[in-house]
């Protein structure tokens, strides 16, 4: 398996310059587990100080919980750990002054697959920014629903090669066919464009954990039902179809992407945890 991965990476990465963002430790598998921070036995006692990659402010990061990835809120913008991980990698790609909020350079088309959260809030007024939500199978991609663009990532309304950056933060696990979505993202990205994303990822698993499947329009559960919080539908939550493993990187390479992963540890940016994985899929 590791030999296969090496060959895939060697072939797909050739000619695509993707420098590693600062603080990124490895691209090897299995991913190195960072040491737990001081005070991790009681995460509520962890207080970090530094610069927030989302809002750019000198900030305090506190109110961590056992779920380090989804907690540790910025005193400036309210961002939590996972959002800062995305923002750090996005900053490495689009630049901008460290002390200012994330901003999209003129001429760049950035599509965020969510319309809430700290990253959305700082980018929402930028020219070149577009966002969406998924409201249900009864809507067509590109339609406006409740004042927001609806997109099914598995069948998007964007034109071929029309976007420079696609952002998705824990989105791809919530659809029956995530690789159809990845193929769609490949289609809409310009050459040299990239999908920067996070997903639930088992850092030791060679294969994806498929938890549900769609058979003749019916959901078939292959494992215990698992739901995540959903800002669009807070009472019901949203089903987790897949927890990804190394297989994801192989599938991305098969689609034609040059896939990379970074494992961040940046306490001075409020990013801690054994694994803080951000993935990038570049369209060569
Ligand atoms: Zn902030």
């Amino acid at each position: 398996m590791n030999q296969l991965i090496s060959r895939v990476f060697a072939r797909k990465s050739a000619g695509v310059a993707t420098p590693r963002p600062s603080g990124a430790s490895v691209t090897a598998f299995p991913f190195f587990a960072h040491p737990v921070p001081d005070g991790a036995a009681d995460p509520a006692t962890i207080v970090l100080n530094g610069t927030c990659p989302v809002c750019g402010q000198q900030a305090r990061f506190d109110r961590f919980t056992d779920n380090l990835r989804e907690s540790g809120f910025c005193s400036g913008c309210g961002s939590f750990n996972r959002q800062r991980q995305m923002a750090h990698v996005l900053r490495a790609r689009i630049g901008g002054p460290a002390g200012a909020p994330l901003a999209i350079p003129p001429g760049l088309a950035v599509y965020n697959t969510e319309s809430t959260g700290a990253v959305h809030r700082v980018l929402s007024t930028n020219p070149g920014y577009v966002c969406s939500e998924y409201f249900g199978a009864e809507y067509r991609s590109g339609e406006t629903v409740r004042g927001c663009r609806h997109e099914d990532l598995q069948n998007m309304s964007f034109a071929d090669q029309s976007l420079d950056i696609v952002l998705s933060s824990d989105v791809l696990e919530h659809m029956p066919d995530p690789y159809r979505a990845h193929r769609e993202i490949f289609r809409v990205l310009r050459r040299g464009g990239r999908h920067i994303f996070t997903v639930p990822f088992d850092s030791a698993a060679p294969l994806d954990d498929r938890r549900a499947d769609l058979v003749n329009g019916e959901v078939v559960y292959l494992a215990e039902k698992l739901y995540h919080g959903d800002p669009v539908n807070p009472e019901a939550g949203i089903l987790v179809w897949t927890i990804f493993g190394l297989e994801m990187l192989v599938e991305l390479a098969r689609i034609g992407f040059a896939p990379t992963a970074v494992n961040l540890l940046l306490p001075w940016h409020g990013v801690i945890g054994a694994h803080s994985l951000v993935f990038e899929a570049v369209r060569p």
Side-chain angles (χ1 to χ4, degrees):
M1 178 64 90
N2 278 334
Q3 280 181 343
L4 169 66
I5 294 302
S6 301
R7 284 206 305 275
V8 167
F9 274 113
R11 194 176 69 241
K12 290 297 175 187
S13 299
V16 178
T18 302
R20 190 177 294 170
S22 65
S25 61
V26 291
T27 52
F29 185 86
F31 292 102
F32 172 78
H34 295 298
V36 292
D38 292 342
D42 181 4
T45 64
I46 299 173
V47 178
L48 306 168
N49 290 286
T51 312
C52 174
V54 179
C55 66
Q57 296 185 46
Q58 286 294 315
R60 186 182 69 255
F61 311 105
D62 61 8
R63 289 173 288 149
F64 283 93
T65 68
D66 288 337
N67 189 348
L68 290 176
R69 191 166 175 263
E70 306 289 316
S71 63
F73 297 91
C74 169
S75 57
C77 69
S79 68
F80 56 84
N81 193 354
R82 166 163 57 84
Q83 296 168 329
R84 290 189 293 274
Q85 295 166 24
M86 288 280 295
H88 176 74
V89 175
L90 181 57
R91 267 182 195 270
R93 299 306 171 219
I94 65 177
L102 262 181
I104 300 169
L108 214 62
V110 177
Y111 165 47
N112 189 357
T113 57
E114 64 185 340
S115 68
T116 60
V119 173
H120 165 74
R121 284 195 297 275
V122 298
L123 295 180
S124 59
T125 56
N126 282 219
Y129 178 75
V130 59
C131 63
S132 74
E133 289 287 347
Y134 177 79
F135 290 99
E138 63 270 38
Y139 300 106
R140 275 194 336 274
S141 284
E143 255 186 272
T144 302
V145 182
R146 288 182 250 156
C148 183
R149 182 179 183 138
H150 163 85
E151 288 289 341
D152 179 351
L153 295 190
Q154 299 163 119
N155 184 17
M156 289 194 279
S157 69
F158 293 100
D160 294 356
Q161 300 194 44
S162 57
L163 299 169
D164 297 294
I165 292 177
V166 174
L167 303 174
S168 71
S169 190
D170 281 28
V171 172
L172 272 291
E173 72 272 28
H174 295 303
M175 56 196 65
D177 192 345
Y179 296 110
R180 189 172 161 195
H182 280 297
R183 285 193 294 275
E184 273 289 272
I185 291 168
F186 186 90
R187 177 182 70 77
V188 302
L189 279 173
R190 295 189 177 118
R191 291 185 184 282
R194 64 188 65 223
H195 178 205
I196 304 173
F197 68 102
T198 65
V199 285
F201 191 90
D202 183 339
S203 299
L207 299 178
D208 292 346
D209 175 17
R210 294 278 304 161
R211 307 186 62 82
D213 209 348
L214 199 60
V215 180
N216 300 323
E218 298 286 325
V219 182
V220 175
Y221 295 97
L222 309 172
E224 194 180 341
K225 294 177 195 176
L226 181 63
Y227 292 89
H228 285 171
D230 181 6
V232 173
N233 192 0
E235 276 163 35
I238 183 168
L239 181 68
V240 176
W241 296 73
T242 311
I243 294 186
F244 295 92
L246 183 60
E247 180 180 359
M248 179 185 81
L249 297 173
V250 177
E251 290 300 323
L252 288 172
R254 281 205 179 116
I255 290 168
F257 283 114
T260 58
V262 294
N263 187 9
L264 302 172
L265 179 65
L266 306 157
W268 53 95
H269 290 322
V271 172
I272 55 172
H275 295 102
S276 295
L277 292 167
V278 180
F279 299 95
E280 287 187 282
V282 179
R283 178 173 179 165

